[in-house]
Amino acid sequence: MHQQKRQPELVEGNLPVFVFPTELIFYADDQSTHKQVLTLYNPYEFALKFKVLCTTPNKYVVADSAGAVKPQCCVDIVIRHRDVQSCHYGVKDKFRLQVSEQSQRKALGRKEVVAILLPSAKEQKEEEEKRIKEHLTESLFFEQSFQPGKNRAVSSGPSLLTVFLGAVCIGALMLPTLGDVESLVPVCLHLSVNQKLVAAYILGLITMAILRT
């Protein structure tokens, strides 16, 4: 007798949640940053419902704080800072995204996203550049102390591994999707929507890392 396959029971709290970005930075002097977008990805074969919670809900407006994401799709969640005051500078708030199956109430997974308000984008950039220069100076002094006579070029740009991973992700996104019969690329190189979502997520993280160096 043919037995129907059962979907394995998902353990509460163990489902990975894919969100980009993982940190929201608002700048008081730049109104364009007062509204930001969180993207929630669903690479799974089943639909998810989500809910957005916040440690300080009175400081933010969340459009569509609850909803659903179709399988292998994503949804944008708009978050607006509505209490931009100097007393909130440097304070870290947290958003928690909880996901579950549409037919159940228990949370299968959760992800926390940090939100912070800073006074000026220019000042923050100058501080980051100062920290990078100090770090490079210390690294150069350390290398010269242990290897006198050898001058090594120190680069503040992204590493070769980061560039390579970014190139791989871009190449993966350019490949045809499964089911594309008109493509001249061999079928073995066709990727599923799930694989392309993961590649896009990784590429986004790499882009954020490069922009901060």
Side-chain angles (χ1 to χ4, degrees), residues 25 30 35 41 48 56-57 59 66-67 109 114 116 131 136 144 165 179-180 200:
I25 301 179
D30 187 356
K35 183 176 70 173
Y41 297 90
L48 292 175
T56 52
K59 291 167 60 177
V114 175
I116 185 171
R131 285 197 298 266
L136 292 176
Q144 290 179 347
L165 289 176
D180 189 357

Coordinates of all heavy atoms in Angstrom, one line a residue, residues 25 30 35 41 48 56-57 59 66-67 109 114 116 131 136 144 165 179-180 200:
I25 N 20.1 52.0 10.7 CA 20.8 53.2 11.2 C 20.1 54.4 10.7 O 20.0 54.6 9.4 CB 22.3 53.2 10.8 CG1 23.0 52.0 11.3 CG2 22.9 54.5 11.3 CD1 24.5 51.9 10.9
D30 N 19.5 63.6 8.2 CA 19.2 63.1 6.9 C 17.8 62.5 6.9 O 17.7 61.3 7.3 CB 20.3 62.1 6.4 CG 20.1 61.6 5.0 OD1 19.1 62.1 4.4 OD2 20.9 60.8 4.5
K35 N 13.1 56.8 7.0 CA 12.2 55.7 6.6 C 13.1 54.6 5.9 O 13.8 54.9 5.0 CB 11.1 56.2 5.6 CG 10.2 55.1 5.2 CD 9.0 55.6 4.3 CE 9.5 56.0 2.9 NZ 8.4 56.4 2.0
Y41 N 12.8 37.3 3.7 CA 12.8 36.3 2.6 C 12.2 35.0 3.1 O 12.4 34.6 4.3 CB 14.2 36.0 2.2 CG 14.9 37.2 1.5 CD1 15.6 38.1 2.3 CD2 14.9 37.5 0.2 CE1 16.3 39.2 1.8 CE2 15.5 38.5 -0.4 CZ 16.2 39.4 0.4 OH 16.8 40.5 -0.2
L48 N 4.6 31.4 5.0 CA 4.9 31.8 6.4 C 4.1 33.0 6.7 O 3.8 33.8 5.8 CB 6.4 32.2 6.6 CG 7.4 31.1 6.5 CD1 8.8 31.7 6.5 CD2 7.2 30.0 7.6
T56 N 10.5 49.5 21.7 CA 10.0 50.8 21.9 C 9.1 51.2 20.7 O 9.4 52.0 19.9 CB 11.2 51.9 21.9 OG1 12.0 51.7 20.8 CG2 12.0 51.7 23.2
P57 N 7.9 50.7 20.7 CA 6.9 50.9 19.6 C 6.5 52.3 19.5 O 6.0 52.7 18.4 CB 5.7 50.0 20.0 CG 5.8 49.8 21.5 CD 7.3 49.8 21.8
K59 N 8.3 54.9 19.3 CA 9.3 55.6 18.5 C 9.2 55.3 17.0 O 9.8 56.0 16.2 CB 10.7 55.4 19.0 CG 11.0 55.9 20.4 CD 12.2 55.4 21.0 CE 13.5 55.7 20.2 NZ 14.7 55.2 20.9
A66 N 2.2 42.9 10.4 CA 1.9 41.4 10.4 C 1.4 41.1 9.0 O 0.8 42.0 8.3 CB 0.8 41.1 11.4
G67 N 1.7 39.9 8.6 CA 1.3 39.5 7.2 C 1.7 38.1 6.9 O 2.1 37.3 7.8
G109 N 10.4 30.5 14.1 CA 11.7 31.1 14.1 C 11.6 32.6 14.4 O 10.5 33.2 14.3
V114 N 18.7 45.3 15.1 CA 19.0 46.4 15.9 C 18.7 47.7 15.1 O 19.1 47.8 14.0 CB 20.5 46.4 16.4 CG1 20.9 47.6 17.1 CG2 20.7 45.2 17.2
I116 N 19.3 52.0 15.5 CA 20.0 53.1 16.3 C 19.9 54.4 15.6 O 19.9 54.5 14.3 CB 21.5 52.7 16.5 CG1 22.2 53.7 17.4 CG2 22.2 52.5 15.1 CD1 23.6 53.3 17.8
R131 N 38.7 55.3 12.8 CA 38.9 54.0 13.4 C 39.7 53.1 12.5 O 40.6 52.3 12.9 CB 37.6 53.3 13.8 CG 37.0 54.0 15.1 CD 36.0 53.0 15.7 NE 34.9 52.8 14.7 CZ 33.8 53.6 14.8 NH1 33.6 54.5 15.7 NH2 32.8 53.3 13.9
L136 N 44.7 50.3 10.9 CA 45.7 50.1 9.9 C 47.1 50.5 10.4 O 48.1 49.8 10.1 CB 45.4 50.8 8.6 CG 44.2 50.3 7.8 CD1 43.9 51.2 6.6 CD2 44.3 48.9 7.4
Q144 N 55.7 45.5 11.1 CA 57.1 46.0 11.0 C 57.9 45.6 12.2 O 59.1 45.5 12.1 CB 57.1 47.5 10.8 CG 56.6 48.0 9.4 CD 56.5 49.5 9.3 OE1 56.7 50.2 10.2 NE2 56.3 49.9 8.0
L165 N 33.5 35.9 -3.5 CA 32.2 35.5 -3.1 C 31.1 36.4 -3.8 O 30.1 35.9 -4.2 CB 32.0 35.6 -1.6 CG 32.8 34.5 -0.8 CD1 32.6 34.7 0.7 CD2 32.3 33.1 -1.1
G179 N 13.3 25.6 -15.4 CA 12.1 25.7 -16.1 C 12.2 26.7 -17.3 O 11.3 26.7 -18.1
D180 N 13.3 27.4 -17.4 CA 13.6 28.3 -18.6 C 14.1 27.5 -19.8 O 15.2 27.2 -19.9 CB 14.6 29.4 -18.2 CG 14.7 30.5 -19.2 OD1 14.0 30.3 -20.3 OD2 15.5 31.4 -19.0
A200 N 21.1 36.1 -3.5 CA 20.8 37.6 -3.3 C 21.0 38.0 -1.9 O 21.5 39.1 -1.6 CB 19.4 37.8 -3.8

